[in-house]
Amino acid sequence: MRIADRWESYKLLDASGGEKLERWGKTTLIRPDPQIIWNTEKDERLWNGADARYLRSSAGGGSWEMRKAVPKSWEIEYGDLRFKIGPTGFKHTGLFPEQAVNWDYMSEKIKSAGREVSVLNLFAYTGGATLACAAAGAKVCHVDAAKGMVDWARENAALSGLSARPIRWIVDDCVKFLKREIRRGNKYDGIIMDPPSYGRGPGGEVWKLEDNIYELLEICVEALSDEPLFFLLNSYTAGLSAGVMEYLVGETIGKKFSGCVWSSEIGLRVEKSGGVLPCGSTAVFEGR
């Protein structure tokens, strides 16, 4: 497992009873996590002192219980990157800190490439990977179907001093955009994707990761340059293991291009116990 342990402004303080206690800058939050099936003793001082807690509803969804005055948004940093953080209606904060291990990997690949690098970030959310690649010197195309997420990503770029970098901001269905790019003949040296487990397209099309991911990877083959630097697939879907993802990438990207394919779980260190909380999986094609 690769562990995102270079954070200073984010810490996973404790994890127990289906919840995680996190410090985001100066704000402490409690959020549910289905992976946390253990019931270790909770330090009351830490847990009772949290600023807010997300409570799930039996009817679905949930809401935040604000125990103290929590700002609508605030900032944290990772190295030279800065991000706007804020509690959303879906328990999220606008950032997945475990993804920092992938940001570091891609940054090093881009910096050591010795050539101009173009990257396509699909299902790009608030732009953590986009900013990491842009800061490393790549041209980036950032695509997400939600305008609010693309706007948030642009805010993060401004906070990080990257507004002038060559980043294309695209609000569109990722699969449709990808197919158009192929028809236009546009190629990328790196592709990143973090597709949802389930969703619906603008025309009511049903997206289910297990049913659609193989076809999507086959399409991605056509969008990669002749000598791709990397292809990176993230997933938080419980039924899609790192090994399965590695096999998928190997049978699609790895079949056409020279390089190696590997996978791993990614996770965060729990400060109290020293253990690691798994936070999804990544499969990578790494060009030679």
Side-chain angles (χ1 to χ4, degrees), residues 1-4 35 98-99 101-102 105 231-237 240-247 249 261-267 276-286:
M1 183 184 295
R2 292 180 299 137
I3 305 167
Q35 295 267 65
E98 63 275 5
Q99 289 295 331
V101 292
N102 290 328
Y105 164 77
F231 175 88
L232 193 143
L233 171 65
N234 294 306
S235 176
Y236 291 90
T237 303
L240 200 63
S241 69
V244 169
M245 291 165 59
E246 180 177 336
Y247 195 96
V249 173
V261 178
W262 52 270
S263 66
S264 72
E265 286 188 289
I266 57 177
V276 177
L277 175 66
C279 302
S281 300
T282 301
V284 177
F285 167 83
E286 185 171 342

Side-chain angles (χ1 to χ4, degrees), residues 120-124 143 172-182 188 191-199 206-224 231-235 237 240 245 248-254 256-257:
L120 175 62
N121 188 9
L122 298 171
F123 311 97
V143 188
D172 202 351
D173 177 86
C174 289
V175 178
K176 291 179 179 178
F177 177 81
L178 181 61
K179 290 179 178 179
R180 285 201 304 275
E181 286 292 271
I182 292 168
Y188 295 90
I191 296 179
I192 312 156
M193 64 167 63
D194 192 349
S197 300
Y198 180 85
V206 175
W207 163 274
K208 189 175 181 183
L209 185 61
E210 294 94 325
D211 295 340
N212 298 102
I213 187 62
Y214 182 73
E215 179 185 1
L216 179 54
L217 294 184
E218 286 187 309
I219 297 170
C220 285
V221 169
E222 300 179 59
L224 285 165
F231 175 88
L232 193 143
L233 171 65
N234 294 306
S235 176
T237 303
L240 200 63
M245 291 165 59
L248 285 165
V249 173
E251 287 297 301
T252 50
I253 314 300
K256 180 172 180 180
F257 301 103

Side-chain angles (χ1 to χ4, degrees), residues 90-245:
F90 299 96
K91 85 171 182 178
H92 298 303
T93 63
L95 196 69
F96 293 90
E98 63 275 5
Q99 289 295 331
V101 292
N102 290 328
W103 305 341
D104 291 342
Y105 164 77
M106 291 182 287
S107 293
E108 288 304 313
K109 291 290 289 182
I110 292 165
K111 289 176 182 177
S112 62
R115 57 186 169 99
E116 186 176 83
V117 175
S118 60
V119 174
L120 175 62
N121 188 9
L122 298 171
F123 311 97
Y125 196 50
T126 60
T130 294
L131 302 191
C133 291
K139 295 190 299 182
V140 186
C141 182
H142 174 109
V143 188
D144 198 284
K147 184 180 183 299
M149 292 300 103
V150 176
D151 289 343
W152 194 331
R154 294 185 75 145
E155 285 186 67
N156 286 335
L159 291 172
S160 300
L162 298 171
S163 293
R165 295 297 175 94
I167 305 173
R168 294 171 63 199
W169 304 101
I170 307 294
V171 180
D172 202 351
D173 177 86
C174 289
V175 178
K176 291 179 179 178
F177 177 81
L178 181 61
K179 290 179 178 179
R180 285 201 304 275
E181 286 292 271
I182 292 168
R183 290 195 296 270
R184 294 166 180 151
N186 292 334
K187 302 282 187 177
Y188 295 90
D189 302 303
I191 296 179
I192 312 156
M193 64 167 63
D194 192 349
S197 300
Y198 180 85
R200 289 188 178 273
E205 310 93 336
V206 175
W207 163 274
K208 189 175 181 183
L209 185 61
E210 294 94 325
D211 295 340
N212 298 102
I213 187 62
Y214 182 73
E215 179 185 1
L216 179 54
L217 294 184
E218 286 187 309
I219 297 170
C220 285
V221 169
E222 300 179 59
L224 285 165
S225 63
D226 293 337
E227 296 183 0
L229 202 59
F230 59 80
F231 175 88
L232 193 143
L233 171 65
N234 294 306
S235 176
Y236 291 90
T237 303
L240 200 63
S241 69
V244 169
M245 291 165 59

Side-chain angles (χ1 to χ4, degrees), residues 13-36:
L13 302 175
D14 198 5
S16 180
E19 294 180 310
K20 53 189 175 184
L21 176 66
E22 305 165 290
R23 178 174 60 78
W24 298 83
K26 296 180 180 180
T27 303
T28 307
L29 305 177
I30 298 173
R31 298 191 295 155
D33 191 315
Q35 295 267 65
I36 303 170

